[in-house]
Amino acid sequence: MVQQDADKHSKAATRIEELRALLHRANRAYYVDAAPFMSDGEFDVLLTELSTLEQSHPELHDPHSPTMRVGGEASSGFESAPHRVPMSSIGNTYSLAEFETWYARALQLLGVSELTLFGDPKIDGVALSLRYEQGVLVQALTRGDGEKGDVVTANVRAIRAIPLRLDGTTRAIPAVLEVRGEVYMPTSVFNSINVEREREGDELFQNARNATSGTLKSKDPKVVADRRLAFSAHGRGECEGLTVASHAEFLRALRELGIPVSPLGSTFASQHEAALAIEKFAHARGGLEFGVDGMVVRVDSFALQEILGSTAKSPRWAIAYKYPAEQAKTILLDVVWQVGKGGTITPRATMQPVRVAGSTIQHATLHNIEEIQRRDLRIGDTVLVEKAGEVIPQVIAVVLEARTGREIPIEAPTHCPACQSEVEKDGPKIYCTNAACSAQFREKVKWFVGRDQMDVDGLGGEIIDRLIDAGLIASFADVFLFDAMRIARALTAARAAEGAEKRGEDAQERIDKAFAKLEKDGPGAQALGIIAAAEASKSRGLGRVLAGLGIRHIGASAAKTLARRFKDANELMRATEADLEALDDFGEVTASSVSHWLHSSAAQTIFAELANAGVDLTSKDTSAPAMLNSFFNGKTVVITGTLETISRSALTEQLEGLGAKVAGSVSKKTHIVIAGTEAGSKLDKAIELGVEVWDEARLQQALAASG
Ligand SMILES: [Zn+2]
């Protein structure tokens, strides 16, 4: 028996090693060598297998396993840390003449007649500095102000393109390696995220760079993992034990060590060669899988870079040539005021369709009424629109010479376009504050059924619109009280009417025909699917319901906090303002606003209706009320270093179950830091702030006592 167990154990150990090596290789092949040998699906299957094996063999834990990218370390905020070598930005120019001047100056300063240059595309992303010590990724910082940046290590670990550990097979691993590069979102990923966000009724990301930056600052590394960010290295910070004489050599070394670098970089023997490449690339860049807004050209030799040095602002040895944004002229046809789920009313431009940067655009955001007035924008105006890697186009200026005098000034609405109630103004922002506003309700329902809330599959924005138009959804609870035949009729009628309009046929006749078919065939898969999905979503629990109701100040994380503290909706509705204020992250304003809402008759109606519709309003985050007496309840805990007795994710789950909040970074609010072996900067920080530090033995004692 013992022998059998030992065999089983060693088999598992072998398989774990095999899987780890294979998945590391697959990542490298995909992100560094651009030669994938495994599909995403296959990768996920193997990753799940590895994760399952690791869970049943916690003794084989390895913090650098491919499963450890998302370590359950949700961040509560981002601390900043200094750059050991400042991360200065590179001087920009839009003119080839200026580029020539830059080169001439470098020749003059160095007293030479020719220089080898290195040029690579300037990817429109977010600059990061990655620090590897003994080959292990220990820190990731954003650029920040160049002197210090935000620590985003936990999120960066979730980016598959970035190795957690350097590859030492072809080159010795340097003692310290700081790599600067651009993390970015491939265009296809960006587009699919925006399609999804539109469907979910979320605000769209303006461009891939904003989406990347938002993703990096996400509080949940799982979000980062899902977003498929890419990385391309382009510079160095502190380095120890890496002998390279030029930028080209440096990039080659990075590639060997398993860090992705752009395949489009190249050396040039002269300024003339580089200028030709810049011009040629202006056309090629539109066809790339990512946004490129220019080309960075630098003196290749590190020794010469050293001699050239830097000005106060930027290095003299490099320059960024930027391509001008693409613009086009069109006519502003109309401004539509849209009501969001929180009541914000924002202007959206409808323009005569025009081609810009490879796509046809018809709409642009106008931000707010002050922006419109500042530009003196009028309906009928000829406007200049721009798309500079921006997916949501911008109206840049009014072409005043084209005015005929017939243009119509744009006024801010005094009443909500949907419910006609008077609007409220807050600076340049306009709100509809009518709690019963039909447009707000429409957006709220779309939010409520969205993936991170009740997650009712199959209920997209357009379908919600049709069901609301047909009078099938008048409250949140109605989502759970659908009748299949009525859904089918509503959707069928809308489609038939649309089809009839397109073909110029009689709508009623078409609808009658479609209904007759419906009576014969039954409601069909779509309607039944929606009902099944709504049924399944009833059991998501209080936290998800709260996150979905669009209560002011209550997003996903605050909803979770409430669901952890209160065992069901009834207990929550009895909470006093003081109870709420005692919660993590609940300030006075939030507590007062939420308490006000909870005690309103509207809230009581919503909860009563949901309960009647069979929606589970008990908390899923706290199983045992006993938890409230646990030592860990309400404590903020940070885990650091390698733990011997338990995996980090298992410990996080256990602590959260006991009511603790497990944070990603140490701050004054931290109650306990649990330090395993090889604990690094978090331990230092804890000591510096005088936060209580526990070793594993102490942890186990406390866990045993919390039972
Ligand atoms: Zn309204």
Side-chain angles (χ1 to χ4, degrees):
M1 190 62 193
V2 173
Q3 184 54 41
Q4 251 179 26
D5 279 355
D7 282 354
K8 232 164 105 188
H9 183 271
S10 89
K11 236 190 217 160
T14 312
R15 182 61 180 158
I16 284 176
E17 276 317 305
E18 212 172 77
L19 285 169
R20 283 177 184 163
L22 180 62
L23 293 173
H24 276 309
R25 259 201 357 261
N27 260 342
R28 187 196 158 103
Y30 187 93
Y31 291 103
V32 182
D33 305 328
F37 61 82
M38 189 184 281
S39 71
D40 287 350
E42 202 179 337
F43 187 94
D44 291 340
V45 168
L46 294 174
L47 191 68
T48 310
E49 182 189 345
L50 176 58
S51 170
T52 313
L53 276 172
E54 285 178 342
Q55 267 161 27
S56 42
H57 296 275
E59 71 285 0
L60 298 171
H61 172 79
D62 171 2
H64 310 296
S65 164
T67 54
M68 296 307 287
R69 287 193 171 271
V70 181
E73 286 191 72
S75 342
S76 50
F78 297 93
E79 293 172 65
S80 67
H83 289 291
R84 288 174 179 82
V85 176
M87 220 172 150
S88 54
S89 50
I90 292 173
N92 278 336
T93 180
Y94 286 92
S95 125
L96 282 175
E98 269 181 38
F99 172 54
E100 213 167 297
T101 311
W102 166 81
Y103 182 74
R105 198 175 144 74
L107 292 182
Q108 196 193 3
L109 286 170
L110 293 169
V112 294
S113 60
E114 233 171 35
L115 267 175
T116 303
L117 301 174
F118 189 96
D120 52 4
K122 191 173 175 304
I123 298 175
D124 198 14
V126 175
L128 274 188
S129 183
L130 308 176
R131 184 176 173 88
Y132 290 87
E133 288 174 5
Q134 310 302 338
V136 171
L137 176 66
V138 293
Q139 191 184 51
L141 291 179
T142 62
R143 182 200 296 281
D145 62 5
E147 298 291 327
K148 50 188 198 323
D150 289 338
V151 181
V152 288
T153 317
N155 278 349
V156 163
R157 284 179 63 94
I159 302 172
R160 267 174 59 190
I162 294 176
L164 300 179
R165 184 177 253 172
L166 298 177
D167 180 350
T169 42
T170 45
R171 166 181 280 275
I173 284 177
V176 174
L177 175 65
E178 273 184 22
V179 181
R180 271 83 193 261
E182 212 75 5
V183 62
Y184 61 95
M185 188 176 281
T187 314
S188 56
V189 176
F190 171 72
N191 289 336
S192 66
I193 288 176
N194 258 355
V195 166
E196 172 90 348
R197 288 177 82 85
E198 180 140 52
R199 200 171 62 83
E200 303 283 336
D202 293 350
E203 203 179 320
L204 299 190
F205 283 124
Q206 289 248 336
N207 53 44
R209 188 186 52 244
N210 287 357
T212 306
S213 159
T215 304
L216 270 182
K217 291 294 174 67
S218 165
K219 289 188 173 170
D220 185 356
K222 281 192 212 85
V223 171
V224 186
D226 283 348
R227 295 254 171 101
R228 290 303 183 112
L229 296 177
F231 180 79
S232 180
H234 56 51
R236 59 184 182 141
E238 192 180 29
C239 285
E240 260 178 58
L242 183 73
T243 332
V244 282
S246 69
H247 192 70
E249 272 182 40
F250 175 66
L251 294 187
R252 207 173 309 131
L254 292 187
R255 185 191 282 272
E256 284 169 1
L257 291 166
I259 296 173
V261 299
S262 168
L264 300 168
S266 137
T267 50
F268 304 109
S270 67
Q271 177 266 333
H272 179 67
E273 262 188 32
L276 283 180
I278 287 174
E279 282 180 349
K280 212 172 132 198
F281 194 63
H283 305 290
R285 71 190 179 109
L288 297 175
E289 233 304 83
F290 44 88
V292 169
D293 57 2
M295 177 105 80
V296 175
V297 181
R298 63 190 91 209
V299 172
D300 191 39
S301 152
F302 284 155
L304 297 181
Q305 284 185 7
E306 188 95 354
I307 297 171
L308 285 169
S310 299
T311 67
K313 278 198 314 211
S314 45
R316 285 193 194 89
W317 43 264
I319 190 164
Y321 177 86
K322 292 189 89 175
Y323 296 106
E326 284 198 53
Q327 298 180 334
K329 276 184 198 168
T330 183
I331 300 193
L332 179 65
L333 299 175
D334 196 10
V335 172
V336 176
W337 295 85
Q338 294 182 312
V339 185
K341 78 171 167 24
T344 50
I345 303 178
T346 49
R348 181 176 189 240
T350 304
M351 301 166 297
Q352 214 162 66
V354 62
R355 294 282 294 179
V356 192
S359 58
T360 301
I361 61 174
Q362 193 172 3
H363 297 288
T365 167
L366 295 173
H367 306 288
N368 58 53
I369 187 69
E370 275 182 14
E371 274 298 294
I372 292 173
Q373 285 163 350
R374 190 176 61 76
R375 295 190 173 134
D376 187 23
L377 196 60
R378 301 177 190 186
I379 290 168
D381 264 336
T382 299
V383 291
L384 204 57
V385 290
E386 181 177 290
K387 232 180 125 194
E390 317 277 314
V391 166
I392 298 178
Q394 309 284 321
V395 173
I396 296 305
V398 177
V399 184
L400 290 171
E401 307 88 82
R403 280 235 165 115
T404 62
R406 288 194 297 275
E407 293 78 11
I408 305 161
I410 298 159
E411 308 271 354
T414 53
H415 293 79
C416 171
C419 71
Q420 312 309 330
S421 63
E422 224 169 290
V423 302
E424 258 178 45
K425 283 189 184 161
D426 179 9
K429 291 188 175 169
I430 308 171
Y431 294 92
C432 165
T433 53
N434 172 13
C437 173
S438 61
Q440 283 183 52
F441 176 69
R442 198 171 277 256
E443 297 308 313
K444 277 183 179 162
V445 173
K446 289 176 190 172
W447 173 258
F448 182 66
V449 301
R451 198 172 66 177
D452 295 327
Q453 292 71 246
M454 298 309 279
D455 192 13
V456 183
D457 208 20
L459 264 190
E462 201 188 340
I463 292 181
I464 298 269
D465 280 335
R466 287 176 172 174
L467 297 181
I468 290 183
D469 290 341
L472 293 190
I473 310 176
S475 71
F476 291 113
D478 283 346
V479 168
F480 309 98
L481 300 169
F482 286 138
D483 171 82
M485 208 56 189
R486 291 185 68 190
I487 295 183
R489 274 201 208 101
L491 299 180
T492 305
R495 268 181 222 129
E498 232 167 62
E501 197 185 310
K502 262 187 207 154
R503 294 180 187 77
E505 297 169 6
D506 181 53
Q508 197 52 52
E509 198 176 303
R510 250 187 109 91
I511 291 172
D512 289 344
K513 249 192 224 161
F515 276 11
K517 189 168 176 324
L518 207 58
E519 294 305 327
K520 200 169 95 237
D521 300 346
Q526 188 182 18
L528 292 171
I530 289 172
I531 287 177
E535 187 62 37
S537 79
K538 282 180 181 173
S539 57
R540 308 241 186 264
L542 183 62
R544 300 277 286 267
V545 172
L546 289 174
L549 291 177
I551 308 162
R552 224 163 154 206
H553 301 297
I554 302 299
S557 124
K560 245 187 182 170
T561 306
L562 288 173
R564 242 177 235 152
R565 171 66 180 77
F566 302 99
K567 72 177 184 347
D568 57 29
N570 287 328
E571 200 181 284
L572 173 64
M573 280 189 291
R574 284 197 300 269
T576 64
E577 203 171 315
D579 290 339
L580 296 172
E581 213 180 312
L583 295 173
D584 258 356
D585 306 330
F586 273 65
E588 211 176 304
V589 176
T590 307
S592 152
S593 154
V594 173
S595 158
H596 193 79
W597 186 82
L598 284 172
H599 295 107
S600 70
S601 61
Q604 278 153 20
T605 309
I606 288 173
F607 285 127
E609 285 176 350
L610 288 173
N612 282 337
V615 176
D616 184 353
L617 296 175
T618 61
S619 174
K620 301 285 167 191
D621 295 307
T622 61
S623 42
M627 170 220 105
L628 295 177
N629 304 322
S630 106
F631 169 82
F632 289 100
N633 186 41
K635 299 268 197 307
T636 301
V637 181
V638 172
I639 309 169
T640 180
T642 311
L643 301 172
E644 307 296 328
T645 52
I646 186 167
S647 81
R648 206 181 264 215
S649 54
L651 176 60
T652 301
E653 203 168 291
Q654 195 174 350
L655 289 173
E656 285 183 347
L658 290 166
K661 180 173 160 195
V662 180
S665 56
V666 179
S667 74
K668 273 181 272 178
K669 282 189 165 180
T670 310
H671 295 102
I672 300 154
V673 169
I674 295 164
T677 52
E678 291 172 53
S681 60
K682 286 181 197 167
L683 180 56
D684 299 342
K685 184 85 191 262
I687 293 166
E688 188 192 316
L689 293 174
V691 174
E692 195 170 334
V693 178
W694 288 7
D695 61 9
E696 268 193 271
R698 178 74 204 278
L699 167 71
Q700 289 305 340
Q701 261 176 16
L703 287 177
S706 298

